[in-house]
Amino acid sequence: MAGDVRLGVVMVHGLFSGPEVWGPLQRLVKQDPELGFVDVLTFGYETGVQRLSPLRVFPSIDTIADSLREYLATEAGKCEQLVLVTHSQGGLVVQRYLARMLHDGRGQELARIQRVVMLACPNNGSELFLSLRKRVFGSRHPQEKELRPLNDRVTGTLRTIMRDVVTARTVTDRTCPIPFSVYAGTEDGVVRPESAQAVFPEVAALPGDHSSILKAQSSDHRTFTTLKRLLFVNPVRPPTAMIRNRLLCLFKAGCSVGDATALQLAKSEPFREFLDSLRAIGLSEGEIEPLRDIRNQLEQNESRGTGRGVLVAYAEVLARVIGLVGKRTSTEEFRWFNLGKSLQSIALVAATAWPDDPEIEDARSELFYLSDVVDMPSGLRADVKTYCQLELPTSGRMEMLKEAQRLSNAFCTVL
């Protein structure tokens, strides 16, 4: 891996276990000179057979998942990229964590997770000693209950993971594509291969039973060599920068739509930048083709004046683009698009159509609202609100254009 990006490998153990089970793998990762970019962390939680005190209870999978969320934000917070490695029930914990994050609309926070590696995870439950487990634990151990075959909570979580993570295509509030590498133990009598592999597309098997699959005593142990290969498969891409670049593209595209003077967008360079922003957002070539057609019509009409029909068609195409952007983005992302659109449309109307265009007040109201709900520096927020409240007409109409450009530059710097 190039650069100084640190990769955090967070290991999550299973039922009746603890962080110490990761000792062999942890030592091999730390001793390997080629894995110097990796920081190994082990997440632990309470599990076992007996409660040490009548005042304490074993946490549920949901509670453990919430604890993992805090662990990844705090102890693993310095790592810009993460790989989550799980054993047995640890895989259920990670899946529940991902599902709860997506349910809360926090999908974009998951973008730093590069891969999930699951070893012997009971995705369809474990039948080993099922009757005995029921008699011993009854309903007193919430973790054991979720290891029973065809548990509804586990099945529902798996459905969410397949739909919104494994087969997802874009990072939004409710989706985040993360590859899962899923392995069964060749001699595992606790979690059968059909349960460990379930419906995941990337599955295989590693030597060992439910316990020995982790006991990598040398660098040629298959579990270690597989994990090492997967750590190098992950692309070096700072997720935070990736997300912020997407927001920048959305903001710039919004500015272009807001500053929708036909002849300005017909100029080659601004138009090309506009199309590049739309591609970065996720619009296909077929979806942006109508914009090219309109540009050609504008160029053909430039010498004799732009006809009203072309301008109406241009407005209709832009409206469709806005709708497509809305469908391809999360609520937060679309706010950045609308922020740019409102900022530039206010300036355009103030400089060219005020007071004949009453829509300027709607744009000013929207921009004022967006300044409160979009994350931005407090000084920039104050400047935007001042811009929204400038009296019209100003001492010079070009003032609005100049101020809009200054604010636009400031947002591009922030993003």
Side-chain angles (χ1 to χ4, degrees), residues 233-247:
V233 166
N234 294 298
V236 181
R237 55 174 178 85
T240 302
M242 177 186 68
I243 293 172
R244 297 194 76 81
N245 183 64
R246 180 173 167 82
L247 294 180

Side-chain angles (χ1 to χ4, degrees), residues 92-241:
L92 302 183
V93 171
V94 166
Q95 291 181 60
R96 190 67 54 82
Y97 155 72
L98 296 174
R100 287 170 75 82
M101 289 286 284
L102 294 173
H103 179 269
D104 292 343
R106 302 175 66 174
Q108 303 205 40
E109 297 177 40
L110 302 176
R112 65 180 180 137
I113 300 175
Q114 304 294 289
R115 182 176 296 272
V116 175
V117 182
M118 295 199 305
L119 305 172
C121 176
N123 291 296
N124 293 330
S126 171
E127 296 184 1
L128 185 70
F129 304 131
L130 178 60
S131 298
L132 178 61
R133 281 160 35 203
K134 288 181 178 180
R135 287 198 301 271
V136 172
F137 298 110
S139 60
R140 295 173 298 169
H141 203 306
Q143 298 170 32
E144 189 280 329
K145 288 175 63 178
E146 299 212 21
L147 294 183
R148 297 175 186 175
L150 303 179
N151 179 276
D152 288 343
R153 294 295 305 281
V154 173
T155 302
T157 299
L158 180 58
R159 187 180 301 115
T160 297
I161 295 302
M162 293 304 301
R163 182 189 64 225
D164 300 332
V165 179
V166 175
T167 61
R169 299 181 62 184
T170 58
V171 178
T172 70
D173 289 347
R174 304 287 181 179
T175 63
C176 184
I178 302 171
F180 270 62
S181 298
V182 179
Y183 297 91
T186 56
E187 304 162 53
D188 194 345
V190 177
V191 178
R192 300 289 184 183
E194 57 270 23
S195 178
Q197 296 173 343
V199 292
F200 289 93
E202 188 178 333
V203 299
L206 292 170
D209 57 27
H210 198 67
S211 175
S212 63
I213 194 173
L214 295 182
K215 295 178 180 177
Q217 300 300 330
S218 66
S219 59
D220 59 357
H221 189 281
R222 287 271 306 283
T223 299
F224 173 70
T225 57
T226 298
L227 176 59
K228 180 176 178 179
R229 175 182 65 81
L230 293 174
L231 296 182
F232 279 99
V233 166
N234 294 298
V236 181
R237 55 174 178 85
T240 302

Side-chain angles (χ1 to χ4, degrees), residues 31-102:
Q31 292 168 3
D32 194 311
E34 295 180 356
L35 296 178
F37 60 91
V38 173
D39 293 326
V40 180
L41 303 95
T42 56
F43 170 74
Y45 56 91
E46 291 299 319
T47 184
V49 178
Q50 285 187 319
R51 291 173 293 180
L52 298 179
S53 166
L55 301 180
R56 298 178 64 182
V57 297
F58 290 117
S60 67
I61 299 292
D62 284 340
T63 301
I64 301 168
D66 289 343
S67 178
L68 176 62
R69 178 181 65 188
E70 184 58 33
Y71 183 89
L72 296 179
T74 304
E75 281 82 355
K78 65 179 179 181
C79 301
E80 195 169 12
Q81 298 182 5
L82 296 175
V83 169
L84 307 184
V85 183
T86 74
H87 177 241
S88 192
Q89 178 182 265
L92 302 183
V93 171
V94 166
Q95 291 181 60
R96 190 67 54 82
Y97 155 72
L98 296 174
R100 287 170 75 82
M101 289 286 284
L102 294 173

Side-chain angles (χ1 to χ4, degrees), residues 309-359:
V310 176
L311 292 178
V312 170
Y314 182 74
E316 291 175 349
V317 169
L318 285 180
R320 287 198 294 273
V321 166
I322 294 171
L324 289 170
V325 172
K327 291 178 180 178
R328 299 288 196 283
T329 57
S330 66
T331 300
E332 177 64 19
E333 289 176 329
F334 197 48
R335 284 172 177 166
W336 278 101
F337 176 84
N338 283 324
L339 182 70
K341 178 168 69 70
S342 299
L343 178 66
Q344 293 297 339
S345 63
I346 292 169
L348 180 66
V349 173
T352 62
W354 191 88
D356 299 326
D357 192 337
E359 292 185 6

